[in-house]
């Protein structure tokens, strides 16, 4: 028997809570008894591109007091700064009280706020669903030789799908706010729902937003719209999908949303955050689309986007790699543009990076294969101890160009190239234009074979 997570204790408070309300002239209050935050706390709202300050409150009688107009429930963020702010739902409950310590804001305790208590339980339930799903999928993958056990696990997976779907329908009837959040977090299993698709990637790409009705304005008011599109774009950017297919799927998802709406703006923000983080070539394409769509309604954000786009183009495939100069192990200065005329692999690594050291034999092999045909490597180390850097070069037999400023993660070249993880590679053509990013192992070998005709 399927057991649904019960929100019945919330229904009396929440029925109708997320239907649009006219301005009643009434006010609601938030009292935050939070220690260790200094003398001022702030309330923000998130629009996908940043946190907008709504109200500030100074401490009085050991608490911070905020007054807002009554409205349909809205997500706000409470904290001493944007970076430390945590979500809270306000708008309809006449008085909300929270207590806690600034060092543990995510553990704030609510007093008489069913909607915030319910939101926490909703998140717990969604996380439990995801854990159960992951356990079942892993178990199925490891027990394929035992058909009887596999059949039982598949039955459990189907029951979990049914429970998730029933849970979603219950929430949509009882509370549209929670229902909209659940709709963005309901992904049913491929084995039981992907019959029309050849593989799970296609199923995921087409069906991830299956249960979200973006015609409803409520999606413009929940940060889960941003998070869901960011997660979706991150996944599609991490599976080696061709750029054309990647662009097509994301565009189809964005086109499910009313054009130039606040919801679409939130979704674009999530997509662009993911693609920028992945330094994906389609970041430029979707940035241009965003600017075209929103430049009239939001000139401030699109102006900032244009500026960021100018900087980003040089880091994307097809852009000219920013030039740089750093010191070699011998104490001489080497400039990237000194290597023009050759195909150059910029390789970000460090002696302490296990995956980097594991990849080095592959890089040595392809270097030896193509170094006499016009291939060169320039390794940029994120080390901060010269002796360890030099020992790793010698031990791994890395007989090509090396530079570093020995500033670790603060390496100036890594900062310029927006490097946040290693190993990371950038392949340049003889004119210094970026041919590809993050090629390693067989993919690097295949690309070099293509370039050098082998």
């Amino acid at each position: 028997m399927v057991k649904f997570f019960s929100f019945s204790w919330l229904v009396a408070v929440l029925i109708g809570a997320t239907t649009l309300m006219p301005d009643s002239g009434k006010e609601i209050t938030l009292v935050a008894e939070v220690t260790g935050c200094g003398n001022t706390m702030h309330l923000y709202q998130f629009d996908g591109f940043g946190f907008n300050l709504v109200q500030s409150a100074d401490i009085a009688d050991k608490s911070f007091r905020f007054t807002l107009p009554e409205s349909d429930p809205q997500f706000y963020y409470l904290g001493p700064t944007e970076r430390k702010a945590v979500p809270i739902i306000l708008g309809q409950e006449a008085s909300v009280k929270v207590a806690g310590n600034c060092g543990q804001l995510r553990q704030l305790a609510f007093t008489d706020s069913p909607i915030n208590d319910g939101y926490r339980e909703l998140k717990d339930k969604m996380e439990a669903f995801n854990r159960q799903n992951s356990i079942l999928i892993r178990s199925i993958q490891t027990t394929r030789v035992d058909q009887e056990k596999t059949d039982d696990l598949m039955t459990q997976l189907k029951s979990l799908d049914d429970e998730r779907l029933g849970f979603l329908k219950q929430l949509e009837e009882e509370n549209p706010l929670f229902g909209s959040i659940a709709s963005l977090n309901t992904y049913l299993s491929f084995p039981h729902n992907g019959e029309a698709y050849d593989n799970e990637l296609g199923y995921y790409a087409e069906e991830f937003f299956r249960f979200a009705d973006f015609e409803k304005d409520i999606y413009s008011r929940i940060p889960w719209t941003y998070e869901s599109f960011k997660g979706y774009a991150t996944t599609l950017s991490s599976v080696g999908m061709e750029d054309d297919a990647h662009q097509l799927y994301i565009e189809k998802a964005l086109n499910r949303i009313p054009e130039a709406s606040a919801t679409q703006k939130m979704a674009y923000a999530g997509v662009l955050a993911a693609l920028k983080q992945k330094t994906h070539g389609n970041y430029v394409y979707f940035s241009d689309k965003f600017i075209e769509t929103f430049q009239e309604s939001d000139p401030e954000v699109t102006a900032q986007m244009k500026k960021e786009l100018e900087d980003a183009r040089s880091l994307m495939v097809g852009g000219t790699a920013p030039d740089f100069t750093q010191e070699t192990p011998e104490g001489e200065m080497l400039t990237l543009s000194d290597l023009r005329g050759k195909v150059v692999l910029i390789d970000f690594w460090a002696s302490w990076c296990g995956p980097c050291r594991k990849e080095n034999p592959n890089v040595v092999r392809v270097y030896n294969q193509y170094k006499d045909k016009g291939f060169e490597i320039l390794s940029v180390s994120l080390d901060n101890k010269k002796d360890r850097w030099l020992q790793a070069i010698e031990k791994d037999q890395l007989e090509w160009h090396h530079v570093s400023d020995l500033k670790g993660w603060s390496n100036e070249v890594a900062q310029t190239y927006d490097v946040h993880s290693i190993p990371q590679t950038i392949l340049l053509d003889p004119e210094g234009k970026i041919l590809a990013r993050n090629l390693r192992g067989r993919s690097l070998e295949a690309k070099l074979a293509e370039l050098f005709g082998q």
Side-chain angles (χ1 to χ4, degrees):
M1 178 179 177
V2 175
K3 295 181 179 179
F4 296 146
F5 181 55
S6 176
F7 275 81
S8 58
W9 64 280
L10 286 172
V11 174
V13 175
L14 301 177
I15 286 294
T18 53
T19 56
L20 288 175
M21 298 173 54
D23 185 0
S24 65
K26 296 181 180 179
E27 293 182 333
I28 62 102
T29 60
L30 167 66
V31 177
E33 297 178 352
V34 185
T35 60
C37 286
N39 295 323
T40 306
M41 288 279 277
H42 308 284
L43 271 181
Y44 306 93
Q45 281 194 307
F46 180 66
D47 67 359
F49 291 92
F51 289 86
N52 301 312
L53 180 63
V54 174
Q55 195 173 125
S56 300
D58 293 330
I59 194 167
D61 297 326
K62 299 181 179 180
S63 65
F64 303 92
R65 189 180 188 88
F66 301 88
T67 302
L68 299 166
E70 184 185 64
S71 68
D72 24 312
Q74 307 277 337
F75 274 88
Y76 292 84
Y77 288 80
L78 172 70
T81 65
E82 295 176 15
R83 290 182 176 273
K84 293 184 178 181
V86 294
I88 181 172
I89 302 173
L90 301 170
Q92 193 167 32
E93 295 175 330
S95 178
V96 176
K97 293 183 179 180
V98 294
N101 183 275
C102 209
Q104 296 179 309
L105 281 180
R106 294 193 178 278
Q107 306 303 318
L108 286 177
F110 289 88
T111 302
D112 297 325
S113 179
I115 195 168
N116 283 287
D117 290 335
Y119 178 58
R120 284 188 173 177
E121 292 200 26
L122 169 61
K123 291 195 295 180
D124 289 343
K125 184 62 175 179
M126 293 190 302
E127 289 173 3
F129 277 143
N130 290 335
R131 282 196 304 271
Q132 287 176 270
N133 186 79
S134 296
I135 291 171
L136 287 171
I137 293 297
R138 284 197 300 269
S139 297
I140 290 170
Q141 291 171 341
T142 57
T143 60
R144 290 191 181 279
V145 294
D146 187 335
Q147 190 59 49
E148 183 177 350
K149 190 171 183 179
T150 297
D151 289 345
D152 178 61
L153 290 167
M154 291 292 283
T155 299
Q156 293 181 51
L157 188 62
K158 178 63 166 63
S159 295
L160 181 62
D161 283 344
D162 291 342
E163 185 176 357
R164 296 184 84 152
L165 195 54
F167 175 66
L168 171 62
K169 289 180 178 178
Q170 178 187 353
L171 286 181
E172 289 177 331
E173 293 174 0
E174 294 181 356
N175 184 314
L177 176 65
F178 288 174
S180 64
I181 294 170
S183 75
L184 293 169
N185 289 274
T186 302
Y187 176 72
L188 303 182
S189 68
F190 172 64
H192 294 294
N193 299 275
E195 299 88 353
Y197 298 90
D198 294 333
N199 54 62
E200 186 167 7
L201 180 57
Y203 169 70
Y204 174 90
E206 292 280 7
E207 303 289 341
F208 185 78
F209 296 105
R210 172 182 174 185
F211 298 105
D213 181 2
F214 291 119
E215 295 291 333
K216 297 178 179 178
D217 180 65
I218 197 167
Y219 288 91
S220 70
R221 305 197 305 274
I222 57 174
W224 286 96
T225 300
Y226 168 90
E227 294 294 346
S228 296
F229 273 87
K230 182 180 180 182
Y232 177 75
T234 296
T235 298
L236 295 187
S237 303
S238 304
V239 293
M241 181 178 286
E242 294 290 334
D243 285 0
D244 288 348
H246 177 275
Q247 177 183 310
L248 175 64
Y249 283 129
I250 293 178
E251 199 154 35
K252 285 176 70 174
L254 290 168
N255 288 342
R256 288 169 52 93
I257 309 173
E259 181 80 3
S261 64
T263 301
Q264 195 181 58
K265 177 183 174 183
M266 187 80 80
Y268 260 107
V271 167
L272 292 172
L275 301 189
K276 183 177 182 181
Q277 187 174 44
K278 288 289 185 178
T279 57
H280 196 284
N282 278 335
Y283 173 76
V284 172
Y285 175 82
F286 284 106
S287 294
D288 285 335
K289 291 281 290 184
F290 175 82
I291 292 169
E292 178 185 344
T293 304
F294 291 95
Q295 58 186 348
E296 291 188 10
S297 61
D298 201 335
E300 185 175 342
V301 169
T302 53
Q304 179 62 31
M305 178 64 67
K306 288 178 182 179
K307 182 179 183 304
E308 291 182 6
L309 192 55
E310 289 177 6
D311 296 336
R313 286 185 195 276
S314 64
L315 300 179
M316 300 296 174
V317 172
T320 299
D323 205 8
F324 61 85
T325 301
Q326 277 201 346
E327 192 171 341
T328 69
E330 296 75 26
E332 299 176 354
M333 304 307 291
L334 177 64
T335 300
L336 172 64
S337 56
D338 291 343
L339 305 178
R340 289 280 171 85
K342 294 188 176 184
V343 172
V344 177
L345 184 73
I346 305 176
D347 180 23
F348 292 93
W349 76 300
S351 65
W352 44 260
C353 169
C356 304
R357 303 292 294 275
K358 186 177 180 180
E359 175 67 13
N360 277 343
N362 295 323
V363 184
V364 169
R365 181 171 49 79
V366 296
Y367 176 70
N368 289 333
Q369 184 176 355
Y370 293 104
K371 64 181 181 180
D372 295 329
K373 301 180 184 296
F375 178 54
E376 189 55 81
I377 298 176
L378 175 54
S379 284
V380 180
S381 171
L382 274 62
D383 277 283
N384 53 23
K385 295 184 182 299
K386 187 171 183 178
D387 57 340
R388 293 184 181 179
W389 174 38
L390 299 183
Q391 288 168 12
I393 292 173
E394 182 178 1
K395 184 175 182 179
D396 293 0
Q397 300 179 35
L398 311 182
E399 299 176 353
W400 50 73
H401 296 294
H402 294 269
V403 295
S404 181
D405 58 12
L406 298 176
K407 294 181 180 179
W409 282 108
S410 297
N411 181 284
E412 292 182 8
V413 179
Q415 299 281 322
T416 298
Y417 280 80
D418 201 25
V419 171
H420 301 289
S421 63
I422 52 175
Q424 190 166 153
T425 63
I426 301 172
L427 187 66
L428 311 182
D429 72 7
E431 285 73 45
K433 294 186 180 298
I434 297 176
L435 292 171
R437 298 185 64 109
N438 291 323
L439 296 179
R440 295 195 292 273
R442 292 182 180 178
S443 60
L444 174 60
E445 189 170 6
K447 186 64 176 179
L448 292 175
E450 173 192 325
L451 292 172
F452 292 106
Q454 292 191 0

